[in-house]
Every structure is written in structure tokens, then in C-alpha cells.
Amino acid sequence: MSDSTNKTPDGNWTPRIVAFFCNWCTYTAADLAGVSRMKYASNIRVIRLMCSGRVDPQFVVDAFAKGADGVLIGGCHPNDCHYVEGNYKCLRRYQMLKRMIADMGIEPDRLRLEWISAAEGEKVRRVVNEMVETVKQLGPLGIPAKFEQWDKEMNALAEHVAASQGAGAPGSSGQNKPQTAQTAHV
Amino acid sequence: MNIMETRKNEPVRIGFYVCHCGVNIAHMVDVEAVAKYVATLPNVVVSRNYKYMCSDPGQEMIQKDIREQRLNRVVVAACSPLLHEHTFRGATEAGGLNPFYFQMVNIREHNSWVHTDRLEATRKAMALARAAIQRVPHHKPLEVKKVPINPDVLIVGGGIAGIHAAITMANAGKKVYLVEKEPSIGGHMAMFDKTFPTLDCAMCVLSPKMATVGSHPNITLWTYSEVVKVDGYVGNFKVTVRRKPRYIIEDLCTGCQECVANCVYKEPKFPDAFNLGLGKRKPVYMPFAQAIPSIAIIDPEVCLNFKRGKNPDGSYTVSDKCKKLCVVACGDRKAIDFSQKAEDKEITVGTIIMATGFKTFDPRRTPYYGYGVYPNVYTALELERVINASGPTEGHLVMRNGKEPKRVAIVHCVGSRDENTNRWCSRVCCLYSLKLAHLILEHTDAEVYNFYIDMRTPGKSMEEFYNRVAEEGMHLVRGRVADVYPDPNDTASGRLIVQAEDTLTNRILKIPVDMVVLSVGLEPRPEAEDLRRLFNLSCSSEGWFLERHPKLAPVSTFTDGIFLAGCCQGPKDIPDSVAQAGAAAAEAFSLIDKGYVEQEPNTAFVLAEECSGCKSCIPLCPYTAISFNEETKKAFINEALCKGCGTCVAACPSGSIVQNLFEDQEIFSEIDGVLAPLPQ
Amino acid sequence: MAGVAEAAVVDRTTTLQTLLNTPAGKRMITCIQCGTCAGTCPYGDYMEFSPRLVINMLRRGFIDEVIKSDSLLRCVACYACTAKCPRNIRLTDVLLPLVKEQVLMNNTQMPAEFQKSLENMHRYGNPMGESPRKRTAWTATAGVKVPLIAEVKREVDVLWFVECYTSFYARGQDNSRATAKLFAALGVDFAILGNDEKCAGECGQMTWESGLFESLAEYNMKLFGKYKFRRIVTGDAHAFNAFRFRYPMYGLTQPVEHTTQFFARHLEQLKPKLKKPLNMVVTYHDPCCLGRAVGCYEDPRALLQAIPGVKLVEMVHNRVNAVCCGGGGGGMWLDTYYKQKGMDRLSERRVKEAIATGADVLAVACPYEVSRFEDALKVVPHDKPMVVRDVVELLAESIG
């Protein structure tokens, strides 16, 4: 399990943002930002998908579970999707996810969807910088640390139950580990 | 492939290569530290850094390692996969592996070029590399699918670029559909008088090419037509072209123009678009003398045989009020048909060349130059018509008041290099301004002033041209004109004062002139945005069609099979437009002559044993690639129709759809990889 | 809101030394030396250092030479250079005031008329040196009740900032009376600051006296803080400019409107009340601080055209191209100085254009212009009589 916060070598926390960019618009826009030598925050880790429609809500939840402090999704503008309407499908899932993560206790601002066309290198810079600022304001999310804490509590509880039931009880606690986020999707 | 079979059960052995890209990456990313870090990761057998991975030695290094170190996965951290993924897949294949055992990490465009803290950039590179290292073990061998390509080509726009591309392709035996919005091909070039730097007559060089297009057996020319629908993809585009009614049956019209001569309007009365409203035409007219096709057209807005005004659907109603002397004149040819309706034609082509051109800047947006207010202020394009022998004044340089100008000011950079209008340099204005200055001197005894900011004359023979024209004797003033207004001391003559700072003498000049010529810039056509959507292209923020790569793929677009030629991609002169048209044609050939297009094998498939038959995926697919097998109660994806977006994969509740190259497990591994803790 | 965003290009502490590091200064680095600024400058002919040259001298580190010259005393802050600059360089309200301030500090002899006005502003809160207690005297003849914000003791919709010329000068008071009448006719919930009001200080800022501006702005901001109001409306284009661009740096958050903008926004309600036809040909002069500075060209014209009987004609130079009356940036008090230097008066240049239109009325929307153009008409010969009227005066006349 990864540590909950991303520390720079000097020990300061800095956010980690996982981005899912569609191949045709936003990934290309990020390439353009590069070619144009625009400078933006280095906290972003881009994962390339063919279409924002490929963004499985599980990817987003998994990224938070593994220690992302924010998740950014980038797709083509409405009516401009390379695959006709994948971006609309993404929008629907995004709206669902926004409500869902709020229920899970994650600030909805940690998730952002942006339409960025291949020509909008400048927008990549702006959105990434804004996103990093927003997440910095919100502070570390630290879900993996919480998992560890919960695992500890569950283990302690299990041991406690096992101890109170006596050592000979069937289905001994050893194999009965609580499920963690890492095992959730395998 | 056989090698792979034998290696199937071998443990994963990854080779990792991080590229310096000269200093492009290495100056911001500590490539040695990245290589050292990756070497510690599981499954990594080789981890190297090298100056130029895309060079031959770089690629050979990969191949050698595959053979000698028995690698079965390759990861390269270098530039964007959109640039070199293909290269390294090739190297991987050449080393004896399936090319899809390769994964690329973008640490240039997404890292070294956009970040400023070397330590942070290095850590980011490590995280991205780790994601790829964790991803590749899940890669499967895949096969590139080959789809046959339709050899026909569609060219949109019949200016010089479209004409040149059409002839090039047609001469090579390809069937070409050339679609032009206006009633004749020729575009802007047909309106010019002479061309720089050679000063040959524009129409003299253009009209033979126009005639070739008109008569070429391999070219289907559809003028006064517009593309209204585009479906399909490279190799197999289905295009609908709307042929607007010109009320003349093309096959029957001989171009004799007797209808024009006999029209009930004895004199031309309506502004003539080709001459920019400086001349007049009748309701039935020939667009211009050398028009191709040489076929008349009727303007239903003004023809007496139509009711005034458009119907809501864009059509016109016949009034039958006219004596129809045109029909009488046409006689047996029976070419006039007032009941003609718009007609949609469906064609299938394998490739498309966009050559939709530009429009000139409307100088009303810089009101201080007085265009549209003072009659003696002209655009450069208007002057081209005035000076042209077949123009409204038959080549006599006279102003709207019929007088010859004694002094002319040419104002550069109108609607160019200006944050308030267009930011770009339009590239051709300095040179065409010099050309117009030369023509004015040739036609009149006038004194000519050129007001410029910077004289930009790049290109072969252009500086020499500048030198030659300057020698002819004209005033070259370095200063942008700030104001044009009527001479307060002489309000009757229409004389104007042109006011500018002569920045090289530090003086404010107020030059009285008879005629002002505005060297208007080039800008994207107003319909470019609609075309962009129709053809699924990208536009730059200015509105020009975006090329795939500014240097390495200047005529390709992000949509495979669609290429760009001429000014729709950005301002350029005639030689460059023609060169680009040739390049676009060559790109189209290379696709067509290969005979097939390779499709990225990123399609999706259903794991039948896991499919619950819920049908959630079926309505999501915009290509109707997913069907439902009523017998087995399972969904099925037609690989030939699937475009590989992965939308259905993300939606499948039972996780039983897999997208090649973007499998769930591959993405989850990447997420895990980018978030894994890094060494301090 | 526009003011807040634009204020971000430069802040209060910017100096000539730090300018090139600000967003506004970065634009100056991009200057292509095209000379549009100099070519359009109404006094470009008389400048040893044209605005273009000033930028380059700054970039090359030779700005001291510019400061030694009195070139920039000729700048009337008319925004012509800024409005046409192809690189969007803020000359009028960023670069030139910073240079002018230094010019003034280096200039041993300041023109007397000008010095007097600055002193008056400092001492009395108005440039003419009138007693602050007389500021509201005009309200007695307003014909309608003009509420004082201190007395209404509640939030008002419109805080009407009357300003100096429109409070103290007879012809300015015509403007104020007209505005009050229009407010009353429209049933606007408004109030004025009364005798506590002091000059907004725009001329101080634009001319070189940033210290004077600062003290006036801080005074007025403190005053604003005492009351609740939703917007500021002023008939003085210069005050409008200060509120829009400078005051947000001092914390002003309420939107600001010029009276012509406010009335244009209420034109539908106003139209039925404009009953009395004024059968006259009118030409409209765009005030720099309303026109080029903000791009508000059409509102005043829409108001004029709503008046029955008015025929609007345009001067040769109109809208973005209008010729300044010469009163901005301290020009109001530099006429003698300009005359000494052999410079023509811009107000005369402008009325010549107005006369050429054959109009009966020269309509204006800035209180400086009334006196400047009326004076100019006295010296420029013209056959047909011409009067100068503020747009609001014409509106008030039409509602009878």
C-alpha cells in the first residue's frame, strides 16, 4: 500500500493529481502546451485513453483510493468528440461520480471534468494550475492512510473477537482479512 | 508472432530506455536517475539512457537487447506517443517481438517542456515510467487490421490549391470529385491581376489549369455545391454534396451567353460579386469571362421570374411574371430550368483534401481607415479588380469618381499583427503591396507611398523583387498609418490625409492623397467552423485548420485520410499553396497506393462467457457495432465497425467487455504506478 | 467587474523601475515600434519623445532622457494611443502617468495655472478652489428633491457622484439639474454625498500627482464605506474613469455607470416621457474617458436618437477616432502653457469639425467639454449658430 501523502524531498506535501486525457483533443492539447513551452504545475500525471467515454468510474475511485488528491478528466468539446458522443457519456458518469464521491466524504472539487480541444494548449495550463491550487487549498486526501487505519481497526476487532471466542473457533481470523481498495477490483 | 508463442510462459522481461532528446529532456529531467530508479523495479532487466532513442543507434540498441537479453516487453520514455510511438513499435517488431508489447512514456511534451523544477520533473518522469513498467506485463500480442481503401478522392474548394491537387491526382488516374461553393472555380487567384514576384498575369497561368479541371475525364467538377454530410472514416468516407440550383441545366448550356444578352434587363444593374461590387451584372450572368464551368447562372434574388425573397427552406418560388426572353434566346438548347431544385449527391471516397481557402479582412473593423465611409478608400483586392484588364474599368486605374489618382497611399498590416483584430502576420501583404505599387506606377503617373511596420519579404526571389520595385521609385515609410480623414482644406475633391509617424525620422507625416489602398490581411473563412465540425477537424485558436504537426505532418490532420492544402491551414502565397496542394496529393497517394489502411487494434470484444446479456452497451455505441445475439443472449461486437473509443467497456456492469491496448488491468496498473511512492 | 480585472495589470506600488515586470509592462516589451500611438496622438506633432519612442527609451534604459524633456506635458490622456495600439499597450493610464510624474518632479517650474488647480484640489477638494460648503448649492434650483445619503439612512440603489464642475460651474449645474430631473422622472432611488463629496481625483492620477490622487481616493473610499448603495452613477466621464479603473485597487466593489449608460439602460422607460420634439441637428462628441477608455460609443447616440426631432450627424472623427477636447490629463489647466509653446488648441480643432457638419448642437457627455467647446466657439468663426449641450440636458429638455 502506498503512503497517503506525496512528500517532496524537503518534506512538504504537494498534491498528486491523476488525469485521464482523451487521445484526440486533450492529450493533443497537452502536447501543444509542451511544444509551445507553456509552464504549469508538475503535480499532474496523465493517463492517455482513446476517449473520455473510456473513463470507467472505477478508474476515478481507484485513483483516489491509491492516493490521488485530485482527478482531472479531459475530453473533446461537446459536438467535437472524435467518437461522436463519448464525451457526453463521460459527462453523465462525471455527474454521477460527483454525487458519489461526496457521499464517500471526498470533496467534489477534487474531481474536475474539462473540455479541452486540440488547439487549447493554454487551457491545459490554466486548468492544471487551477486544479493544483484548488487541491492545495483542500489539503491531502490521504485515503490509503485511512485504509491502513481501518485495516488496523478491523484486524484489532477481529483479533478481539477471536480472543473472546477462544482459540479453537472455526474460520480463524487469520484468513479473514477485510477487503481493501486494492483487492476491490481484482 | 511465432517467437511470442514460444515465449508465452516465460517470465516478463522488460527493457526500459529513457531518451535525452539532446538536451530537450535531459536539461529538465535527470535521465540517469530515472534509469537507475527504473532498474530497481520488478521485471526490469535492462534500464538505459541514451541521447537520441529515435535515432538508428537508439533503435538498434532496443533490437539488440531484445535478442541478447531475451526481452519480451519494451518501454521508452521520450517524446509524445503521437510523434514516435510508431517508430518504437517498429523497433520492437524488428527485434522480433509483437509491436504491441511496447509502451511509450511522454516525458518531453508533458514534462521537460512544461515544468521548471528539475527535481519535481525528474520525480514525475519516474512516476510515469513506473506506470508503464507496471502496465506492460498485461500487454497482449495484437495484430494490425488492414482495411481496403477506396481510391477516389474528394477535394473541397476550387481555388489554386484545390485545382492543383485535383489535377495532380487525376493525372495519376485517380477519380477526383472537386466541390466548389461558388459558380466557378478559380478562387481568389482568379481575381488577381498580376502575381509576385514574377509579375506574370494571374489569369494567364491559372486559366489553363482551370480548363484542365473542366475537361479532365477523371475529375467530376461540382461547382455551386457544398458538402453537407460526412460519415465514415479513412479509406471509406461517405459524403453528401448538395448541388444548389443555378436554374441552368449544366449539360445543356453551351456557355454562349445569349440568355445574358437577351435578358429583359438591357443594362447590368446588380453588384457583381466577382468584381467585389465595383461592376454590375444582370440577373442571368456568367460569373466571369474565363469561368469554369463556362455555364451561366440565374440569381433568383433579383430575376423577375422569381417571387422576391427566400422561402423558409431556402428555395425560391417561380413567379412566372417575366417575358423570359432568355428562354427564347436559349431556344432548342432548353438549358434554362426555373424549376430546378437543390440536389443531394452521395459519394464514397477514401481520402479528402480540404482546400477551402481564406477570406480577406473586413477593414470596417478598423474604422479609422475610413473604409466604407470615404469612396476613395479601397481594399487591395478591389484594386486588383480595378487594375485588371477584364475588371470593371477595363484596366484603367480610375477611382469611383472616374478620375485617375495623382497620389496613392498603400497601408500595410490592416487587420494583421493587431491584438484588436487579428494577431497573425498575413505573410503575403507586404509583397502584394509592393506588387500593387509597381502596377500603380505602371498604369499611372501617380506618386506612391507604402506605409509599413516591418517589410517582410521572405522566400525565393522575394527580396530581389522588393529591391526591384523599390528602385522604381516610391516612398517607403516605416510607420503604421494611424488615421485617414478628408483633407479639411479641400473637402470637395475627396482628397484624404493619411497620418502616420515616420518612425525613422521621428516626424508625424500628414500626406494628402487621392486614393488609399488597404492591404487587408487574410483570415479564416466564416464557414470554417462549420466545416471543421462536418469533417471532424481541429482549428487553431485563430480558426485556421490545424495540421497534425507543424513541422513533420504539415498537411495531415488529426483525422486520418483528411489533408490540408492552401490558406485554409494558414496564410500563404501561391507558390506555397501549390506546393502544399502537391504535398497533400502525395499524402493521399501514399494512402491510396498502399491499398489498405492499417487500423490500430484498439477495438473492443465481449467475453461471451461473462456477458449477462443486459444490453446496456448496445445503445452506447455510436457506430452500431454492438449487436445482441438472441440465441445465446449475449452481446457481440463487430470488430470491423468498432472504432475503439472504449465507451461500452466503461459501461459494462459485469466487466465483460475488453478493449485491446486499454484493458482495465492495464489502466489500473498505470494508476497504481503513477501513485506509487518514489524514493526520496 | 471590468475594473477589478483590469486593475490586475498594474498595482498601486508600480514604478518606472518595476513596470516592465508587471503584466502591463510585459506588453510594452512586445512593442513593435509601429508608431500608431504617435501618429494618432493629437499633439504628436509637438513631442520630442513620441509615445513610441518613450517605450523604446524605457526598454533600453534611457528613460532619464525622456524625463528631462517636457514632451509628455503635452499628453492630454485621451486614450487615442491606447485604443489603437496593435499590441494592447496601456500607454494612457499606465506608462504615461508614471513618466509624467517623474517629469513633474524634475521640472522646476510648473505651469502656474496647473499648480494652482492641484493646490485647490488638495486644499478644498475641488480644482476651482470653491468652498466645499457650496457644493450642494445647486440643489436649491434643481426643481426636484435631491436626497442626501447621510439623511436617507438606508441602502439606496444609486449613489450619484456629482463631481466638481457639475457642482460649482453654472453650466455644469445645468447638467446636474437635468440629471436630477431625469432621475426623478424615472423614479430612481438615488442620493448624493452632499458637501462631503470631494473630487474623485482622476486628473491628479492621470497628470502626475499620484500622491494627491491617493489622498482623494482614500478620502472618498472612506466616505463610501459609511453608506450602503448598489451602484455609483456619475455624469463626469473623468470620475467615471477613476472609479472604473483606479478605485477597485482601493477596494471599490460596486459597479460604476456613466449617466448616459444608466439612462440608455432605462431607455424603454424613458422613451415615452421624451415628448417634446427638439427639432435640431445634433453632432455628438465622444468623451475620451467614456469612448476610447471603455468603448461606450453607442449609448449616448441611442439616447440622442430617442429624442423626437433630433437628427444625428457625425463629425469626421468619431467614436474610436474622436479628437479630444484637450482637457484631460491636466490639459484643463494647461491652456496657457500650450499657447506659450505655440500649440493649437484641441477644442478649436474639434469645434471646426463640429461646425463642418452643419449641426445646431454639439452634444457632449463630459463636463469639461462644455466650457472648453463654448470657449472655442467664441474664437472659431462660424456662420450658423451652434450651442454646446450635454446629452442629459437635451433629454431633460425633451421631457419638458
Coordinates of all heavy atoms in Angstrom, one line a residue, chain C residues 139-170:
Chain C
T139 N -28.6 72.4 -5.7 CA -29.8 71.6 -5.5 C -31.0 72.4 -5.2 O -32.1 72.0 -5.4 CB -29.6 70.6 -4.3 OG1 -29.2 71.3 -3.1 CG2 -28.5 69.5 -4.6
A140 N -30.8 73.7 -4.7 CA -31.9 74.5 -4.4 C -32.7 74.9 -5.6 O -33.9 75.1 -5.6 CB -31.4 75.8 -3.7
T141 N -32.0 74.9 -6.8 CA -32.6 75.2 -8.0 C -32.9 74.0 -8.9 O -33.2 74.1 -10.1 CB -31.8 76.2 -8.8 OG1 -30.5 75.6 -9.0 CG2 -31.7 77.6 -8.1
A142 N -32.8 72.8 -8.3 CA -32.9 71.6 -9.1 C -34.4 71.4 -9.5 O -34.6 70.7 -10.5 CB -32.4 70.4 -8.3
G143 N -35.3 71.9 -8.8 CA -36.7 71.7 -9.2 C -37.3 70.4 -8.7 O -38.5 70.1 -8.7
V144 N -36.4 69.4 -8.3 CA -36.8 68.2 -7.6 C -36.0 68.0 -6.4 O -35.0 68.6 -6.2 CB -36.7 67.0 -8.6 CG1 -37.5 67.1 -9.8 CG2 -35.2 66.8 -9.0
K145 N -36.5 67.1 -5.5 CA -35.7 66.8 -4.3 C -34.5 66.0 -4.6 O -34.6 65.0 -5.3 CB -36.6 66.1 -3.3 CG -36.0 66.0 -1.9 CD -36.9 65.5 -0.8 CE -36.2 65.1 0.4 NZ -34.9 65.7 0.7
V146 N -33.4 66.5 -4.1 CA -32.1 65.7 -4.3 C -31.7 65.2 -2.9 O -31.2 65.9 -2.1 CB -31.0 66.6 -4.9 CG1 -29.7 65.8 -5.1 CG2 -31.5 67.2 -6.2
P147 N -32.0 63.9 -2.6 CA -31.7 63.4 -1.2 C -30.3 63.3 -0.9 O -29.5 62.9 -1.8 CB -32.4 62.0 -1.2 CG -33.1 61.9 -2.5 CD -32.5 62.9 -3.5
L148 N -29.9 63.6 0.3 CA -28.5 63.4 0.8 C -28.4 62.0 1.4 O -29.3 61.6 2.2 CB -28.2 64.4 1.8 CG -28.1 65.8 1.3 CD1 -27.8 66.8 2.5 CD2 -27.0 66.0 0.3
I149 N -27.4 61.3 1.1 CA -27.3 59.9 1.5 C -27.2 59.8 3.1 O -27.7 58.8 3.7 CB -26.2 59.1 0.8 CG1 -26.4 57.6 1.0 CG2 -24.8 59.6 1.3 CD1 -25.7 56.7 0.0
A150 N -26.6 60.8 3.7 CA -26.5 60.8 5.1 C -27.8 60.9 5.8 O -28.0 60.5 6.9 CB -25.6 61.9 5.6
E151 N -28.8 61.5 5.0 CA -30.1 61.7 5.6 C -31.1 60.6 5.4 O -32.0 60.4 6.2 CB -30.7 63.0 5.1 CG -30.0 64.2 5.8 CD -30.4 65.6 5.1 OE1 -31.3 65.6 4.3 OE2 -29.7 66.6 5.3
V152 N -30.9 59.9 4.2 CA -31.9 58.8 3.9 C -31.7 57.6 4.9 O -32.6 56.9 5.1 CB -31.9 58.3 2.5 CG1 -32.4 59.4 1.5 CG2 -30.5 57.9 2.1
K153 N -30.5 57.4 5.4 CA -30.2 56.4 6.4 C -30.7 55.0 6.0 O -31.3 54.3 6.8 CB -30.9 56.8 7.7 CG -30.3 58.0 8.4 CD -30.7 58.2 9.8 CE -29.9 59.2 10.6 NZ -30.1 60.6 10.1
R154 N -30.5 54.6 4.8 CA -30.8 53.2 4.3 C -30.0 53.0 3.0 O -29.4 53.9 2.5 CB -32.3 53.1 4.1 CG -32.9 54.0 3.0 CD -34.3 53.7 2.6 NE -34.7 54.8 1.7 CZ -34.5 54.8 0.4 NH1 -33.9 53.8 -0.2 NH2 -34.9 55.8 -0.4
E155 N -30.1 51.8 2.6 CA -29.4 51.5 1.3 C -30.2 52.2 0.1 O -31.4 52.1 0.1 CB -29.4 50.0 1.1 CG -28.6 49.6 -0.2 CD -28.5 48.2 -0.5 OE1 -29.6 47.5 -0.6 OE2 -27.4 47.6 -0.6
V156 N -29.4 52.8 -0.7 CA -30.1 53.4 -1.9 C -29.5 52.6 -3.1 O -28.5 52.0 -3.1 CB -29.7 54.9 -2.1 CG1 -30.4 55.7 -1.1 CG2 -28.2 55.1 -2.2
D157 N -30.3 52.7 -4.2 CA -29.9 52.0 -5.4 C -28.7 52.7 -6.1 O -27.7 52.1 -6.3 CB -31.1 51.9 -6.4 CG -30.7 51.1 -7.6 OD1 -30.0 50.0 -7.5 OD2 -31.1 51.4 -8.7
V158 N -28.9 54.0 -6.2 CA -27.9 54.7 -6.9 C -27.2 55.8 -6.1 O -27.9 56.6 -5.5 CB -28.5 55.5 -8.2 CG1 -27.5 56.4 -8.8 CG2 -29.0 54.4 -9.2
L159 N -25.9 55.7 -5.9 CA -25.2 56.8 -5.3 C -24.7 57.7 -6.5 O -23.9 57.2 -7.3 CB -24.0 56.3 -4.5 CG -23.1 57.5 -4.0 CD1 -23.9 58.3 -3.0 CD2 -21.8 57.0 -3.4
W160 N -25.2 58.9 -6.6 CA -24.9 59.8 -7.7 C -23.7 60.6 -7.2 O -23.8 61.4 -6.3 CB -26.1 60.6 -8.0 CG -25.8 61.7 -9.0 CD1 -24.8 61.8 -9.9 CD2 -26.6 62.9 -9.2 NE1 -24.9 62.9 -10.6 CE2 -26.0 63.6 -10.3 CE3 -27.8 63.4 -8.7 CZ2 -26.5 64.8 -10.7 CZ3 -28.3 64.6 -9.2 CH2 -27.7 65.3 -10.2
F161 N -22.6 60.4 -7.9 CA -21.4 61.2 -7.6 C -21.4 62.4 -8.5 O -21.2 62.2 -9.7 CB -20.1 60.3 -7.8 CG -18.9 60.8 -7.2 CD1 -18.6 60.5 -5.9 CD2 -18.1 61.7 -7.9 CE1 -17.4 61.0 -5.3 CE2 -16.9 62.2 -7.3 CZ -16.6 61.8 -6.0
V162 N -21.7 63.5 -8.0 CA -22.0 64.7 -8.8 C -20.7 65.3 -9.4 O -20.7 65.6 -10.6 CB -22.7 65.8 -8.0 CG1 -23.1 67.0 -8.9 CG2 -23.9 65.2 -7.3
E163 N -19.6 65.4 -8.7 CA -18.3 65.9 -9.1 C -18.3 67.4 -9.2 O -19.3 68.1 -9.0 CB -17.9 65.3 -10.4 CG -16.8 64.2 -10.2 CD -15.5 64.7 -9.7 OE1 -15.4 65.8 -9.1 OE2 -14.5 63.9 -9.7
C164 N -17.1 67.9 -9.4 CA -16.8 69.4 -9.2 C -17.4 70.3 -10.2 O -18.2 71.2 -9.8 CB -15.3 69.6 -9.1 SG -14.5 68.5 -8.0
Y165 N -17.1 70.1 -11.5 CA -17.6 71.1 -12.5 C -19.1 71.1 -12.5 O -19.7 72.2 -12.7 CB -17.0 70.7 -13.9 CG -15.6 71.1 -14.0 CD1 -14.6 70.3 -13.6 CD2 -15.3 72.4 -14.5 CE1 -13.3 70.7 -13.8 CE2 -14.0 72.8 -14.7 CZ -13.0 72.0 -14.3 OH -11.7 72.4 -14.4
T166 N -19.7 70.0 -12.2 CA -21.2 69.9 -12.3 C -21.8 70.4 -11.0 O -23.0 70.5 -10.9 CB -21.6 68.5 -12.6 OG1 -20.5 67.6 -12.1 CG2 -21.7 68.2 -14.0
S167 N -21.0 70.7 -10.0 CA -21.5 71.3 -8.7 C -21.3 72.8 -8.7 O -22.2 73.5 -8.2 CB -20.8 70.6 -7.5 OG -21.1 69.3 -7.4
F168 N -20.1 73.2 -9.2 CA -19.8 74.6 -8.9 C -20.0 75.5 -10.1 O -20.4 76.7 -10.0 CB -18.3 74.7 -8.5 CG -18.1 74.1 -7.1 CD1 -17.4 72.9 -7.1 CD2 -18.6 74.6 -6.0 CE1 -17.1 72.3 -5.9 CE2 -18.4 74.0 -4.7 CZ -17.6 72.8 -4.7
Y169 N -19.7 75.0 -11.4 CA -19.9 75.9 -12.5 C -21.3 76.0 -12.9 O -22.1 75.1 -12.9 CB -19.1 75.3 -13.7 CG -17.6 75.7 -13.8 CD1 -17.0 76.3 -12.7 CD2 -16.9 75.6 -14.9 CE1 -15.6 76.6 -12.7 CE2 -15.5 75.9 -15.0 CZ -14.9 76.5 -13.9 OH -13.6 76.8 -13.9
A170 N -21.7 77.2 -13.4 CA -23.1 77.5 -13.7 C -23.5 76.5 -14.8 O -24.5 75.9 -14.7 CB -23.2 78.9 -14.2

